[in-house]
Amino acid sequence: AEALARLGVTHDEVRERIDTVLGRGERILIQQIIPTSRVKTVIEMAFAEAQRLDSRAVGTDHVLVAIALEGQNVAAQVLVAMRATVDALRTTIAAVKDSGVTEPSGGTARAGEPAASPSGSSPASPIVNLIVAAARAEAASDAVSQYSMEHVLHAIVKLHNERIKRVLASLDIDEALLIAALTPPQALQSLRRSLHDAAQAKHDAVAREDYKAAESFRITEELLGSEVEKAEREWDSGNP
């Protein structure tokens, strides 16, 4: 929670981003869309990367390097398969920075946001706030309650950051192919949506005090949850 608090993401910003991505105004409980443990780890690593470089703020490039550096997530595997290793990313990012391409502002940060960590590491830039908001939007469109590393990398690419576009182009990475590689297998997408539907049905049954139906949906939700976890582990390991 502390790592995310540094990002200073507000519910209003996330809701606005979701409306943009989904193209509809339906209400989604954003507070229920939380990061996976790996996302939390990568965020911490992005702060460490910024500190290593004595950067004034954590930017998109630090998050990108952190994704590859963590190494155990689908997004990292996709990057490495496209030759975007940690060393290649660091070298290319440095060259793009030296060429004068700056990080976009991402909007104006509110007073006092994002706050520096107790350890004194760099605060996140507003563009990182947008990445988190967009990753949550991607998770919402997938009907899942957690946003994972593929959502974060997908968000980075779709935000059309000029510096990141230059980095990917320099590494001969096609953005469309990168996004396609980050798309979960159809079977996993179907399971995720079935799980979401079962959870919603359980909630609705409880709301109308139909506890027999709610118990049935709870069992279905547990079974589907196990299947989703298995499918995600298989995709994570590169064996869909």
Side-chain angles (χ1 to χ4, degrees), residues 126-172:
I127 193 68
V128 177
N129 301 347
L130 288 180
I131 291 171
V132 172
R136 280 178 162 164
E138 292 294 333
S141 68
D142 284 346
V144 294
S145 60
Q146 289 186 306
Y147 62 95
S148 53
M149 289 318 308
E150 68 265 23
H151 295 124
V152 174
L153 184 52
H154 199 161
I156 288 174
V157 175
K158 289 182 70 174
L159 284 174
H160 302 298
N161 180 326
E162 183 60 30
R163 180 184 287 179
I164 297 304
K165 288 174 72 70
R166 292 281 190 92
V167 168
L168 296 179
S170 296
L171 292 170
D172 294 323

Side-chain angles (χ1 to χ4, degrees), residues 101-131:
V101 180
T102 60
E103 177 92 319
S105 66
T108 303
R110 290 177 173 79
E113 295 181 358
S117 70
S119 62
S121 62
S122 305
S125 67
I127 193 68
V128 177
N129 301 347
L130 288 180
I131 291 171

Side-chain angles (χ1 to χ4, degrees), residues 27-218:
R27 296 181 64 81
I28 300 173
L29 295 178
I30 298 304
Q31 65 270 25
Q32 294 181 1
I33 301 179
I34 61 175
T36 64
S37 58
R38 280 183 177 167
V39 170
K40 293 178 182 178
T41 297
V42 166
I43 289 173
E44 292 288 352
M45 294 173 76
F47 276 85
E49 180 71 8
Q51 196 167 29
R52 183 184 73 84
L53 297 170
D54 292 324
S55 300
R56 291 187 298 175
V58 178
T60 313
D61 43 2
H62 303 120
V63 178
L64 188 60
V65 169
I67 291 173
L69 196 57
E70 194 274 339
Q72 299 302 308
N73 60 83
V74 169
Q77 293 169 19
V78 169
L79 287 173
V80 171
M82 295 184 170
R83 297 179 307 217
T85 62
V86 174
D87 288 342
L89 284 170
R90 282 174 170 165
T91 300
T92 306
I93 287 168
V96 171
K97 280 184 177 180
D98 288 344
S99 71
V101 180
T102 60
E103 177 92 319
S105 66
T108 303
R110 290 177 173 79
E113 295 181 358
S117 70
S119 62
S121 62
S122 305
S125 67
I127 193 68
V128 177
N129 301 347
L130 288 180
I131 291 171
V132 172
R136 280 178 162 164
E138 292 294 333
S141 68
D142 284 346
V144 294
S145 60
Q146 289 186 306
Y147 62 95
S148 53
M149 289 318 308
E150 68 265 23
H151 295 124
V152 174
L153 184 52
H154 199 161
I156 288 174
V157 175
K158 289 182 70 174
L159 284 174
H160 302 298
N161 180 326
E162 183 60 30
R163 180 184 287 179
I164 297 304
K165 288 174 72 70
R166 292 281 190 92
V167 168
L168 296 179
S170 296
L171 292 170
D172 294 323
I173 295 176
D174 184 281
E175 291 185 18
L177 292 178
L178 177 56
I179 289 178
L182 294 170
T183 302
Q186 188 60 46
L188 175 53
Q189 293 183 54
S190 179
L191 280 171
R192 284 175 169 177
R193 292 188 179 278
S194 294
L195 176 59
H196 174 270
D197 291 344
Q200 185 60 55
K202 181 189 72 174
H203 175 79
D204 292 344
V206 170
R208 64 176 183 268
E209 299 184 359
D210 186 349
Y211 299 115
K212 182 176 180 180
E215 176 61 15
S216 176
F217 287 126
R218 183 193 65 79

